[in-house]
Amino acid sequence: MNSFKQFLILSLLLLTTSKAQVDSAAYGQIEIFVIDSYITPEQPYKLVLSFFTSDSCTAKIQLSGEHEFVVSSKLNDNHKIEITLDEQLLGTPIIKYFIYAKNKEGFVSRSQLYEVEIPGIILIDKDKDLGLFQVCCFGGIIFGLPSPALVIMNGKNFLGISKEIPVFSFYSGGYNYPFGYIGAEYSYLFNSDKKNFLRIGYKQIFQIRPIEFLSLGINFFSDLKGYNGISPEFSVGLFKIQNVFTLYSRYRYNFQPNRSRTDFHEFSIGLYSNFFSINL
């Protein structure tokens, strides 16, 4: 009987110790949830970061393994900071950082390694040290290159070229790509009865990895001779070129709502950039 009592007491002690260790480990764990992380495209260039923690704590951020900034000096679970970036931090296409959180018991938790891309327009200005005139010339040459297109109309194939310019770009939380833009476009079809088309439309952008983006859009088009219609489209941003331009492929369906047998299909590739866009 005494052996049974000793066994029972020992078991209770082991369970109590184990539970205390588990509770202590769970109590010390701090989860970090990043909400926003982007770099503003206007001077002075700033890293904007906001995040939540699962416990009230102080927090700091470490950029590129050596630059530390205090985010919250008082206990809080909602944290935000804007860091003005100097020439050294803007010297690479990507800034990597850790977030450190410390609760009232002194437990410190480090986040995973996060990355934020520097907008391409900043890289041109910083890395290549181009003047305003050179930037405009470089952008003008690239934007002057038309996009090749294959058009299928009335069972016949036509080659064409087009050029789209994003006129107004709309941003919310991030600055790698806008969430949408209004674009104007001119298209020319070779050996077709209808050669010239003007379009204006809205494109919604979804950033999806491992590609750059998916885009859904709707346009109104006209040949200025009474052939007017609507053209929904679907685009895929494939990869970046020099961190400024994105090569994309696009499919577009053109039709007139009140007239049958006037629709045509269009496949094209091109370069996207908000180089000359008005950012809103």
Side-chain angles (χ1 to χ4, degrees):
M1 189 69 177
N2 291 333
S3 298
F4 177 78
K5 289 183 178 179
Q6 292 176 354
F7 174 78
L8 182 61
I9 293 172
L10 180 61
S11 299
L12 290 174
L13 287 174
L14 289 175
L15 287 173
T16 303
T17 303
S18 175
K19 185 177 185 303
Q21 291 176 347
V22 172
D23 288 344
S24 176
Y27 185 76
Q29 183 66 29
I30 302 174
E31 298 291 338
I32 299 173
F33 308 96
V34 172
I35 306 302
D36 254 341
S37 176
Y38 63 89
I39 296 175
T40 59
E42 298 89 9
Q43 294 187 11
Y45 305 120
K46 295 181 179 180
L47 169 62
V48 179
L49 172 67
S50 61
F51 58 93
F52 288 103
T53 50
S54 58
D55 191 8
S56 294
C57 58
T58 60
K60 66 179 180 180
I61 180 176
Q62 184 183 70
L63 301 180
S64 302
E66 53 185 24
H67 305 275
E68 291 191 356
F69 300 89
V70 175
V71 181
S72 301
S73 58
K74 297 181 179 180
L75 295 175
N76 199 354
D77 60 0
N78 187 2
H79 312 268
K80 184 173 182 179
I81 189 174
E82 294 185 4
I83 302 172
T84 301
L85 303 176
D86 57 20
E87 297 288 339
Q88 184 178 359
L89 289 172
L90 292 172
T92 58
I94 296 176
I95 294 178
K96 300 180 179 181
Y97 63 90
F98 287 107
I99 298 172
Y100 293 86
K102 182 178 180 181
N103 63 12
K104 61 182 178 180
E105 282 74 28
F107 180 84
V108 178
S109 179
R110 189 182 77 171
S111 71
Q112 67 184 63
L113 181 62
Y114 290 104
E115 296 181 351
V116 58
E117 293 185 18
I118 297 178
I121 189 63
I122 298 178
L123 295 177
I124 286 182
D125 185 39
K126 296 298 178 183
D127 292 347
K128 296 185 178 180
D129 194 24
L130 298 176
L132 179 61
F133 177 75
Q134 291 173 296
V135 170
C136 291
C137 289
F138 176 72
I141 292 173
I142 297 299
F143 271 94
L145 295 176
S147 301
L150 172 64
V151 174
I152 303 175
M153 181 185 298
N154 298 325
K156 298 180 180 179
N157 297 337
F158 300 94
L159 294 179
I161 55 175
S162 64
K163 192 67 234 176
E164 179 190 59
I165 297 179
V167 181
F168 299 102
S169 297
F170 305 98
Y171 289 89
S172 57
Y175 279 89
N176 293 327
Y177 291 100
F179 69 81
Y181 69 90
I182 296 175
E185 181 178 349
Y186 168 73
S187 299
Y188 180 84
L189 301 184
F190 299 98
N191 303 319
S192 173
D193 294 336
K194 299 176 177 61
K195 298 182 181 296
N196 302 285
F197 289 93
L198 294 177
R199 288 184 177 86
I200 185 168
Y202 175 77
K203 320 298 170 70
Q204 185 77 23
I205 293 179
F206 305 92
Q207 297 184 53
I208 300 176
R209 296 300 182 185
I211 62 175
E212 290 295 323
F213 63 78
L214 296 178
S215 173
L216 299 178
I218 186 73
N219 308 275
F220 297 95
F221 71 86
S222 175
D223 69 347
L224 302 182
K225 295 182 180 180
Y227 186 75
N228 308 316
I230 300 173
S231 55
E233 65 178 47
F234 174 77
S235 302
V236 179
L238 301 174
F239 56 86
K240 282 188 174 182
I241 300 175
Q242 295 296 321
N243 289 310
V244 179
F245 304 98
T246 302
L247 180 70
Y248 67 84
S249 62
R250 173 176 293 166
Y251 166 72
R252 178 183 288 150
Y253 177 63
N254 305 268
F255 69 97
Q256 291 183 292
N258 299 323
R259 296 180 62 183
S260 61
R261 297 184 179 181
T262 60
D263 58 329
F264 61 94
H265 306 270
E266 182 180 349
F267 302 87
S268 63
I269 59 173
L271 293 174
Y272 164 81
S273 177
N274 63 340
F275 201 85
F276 291 124
S277 178
I278 299 174
N279 298 330
L280 302 175

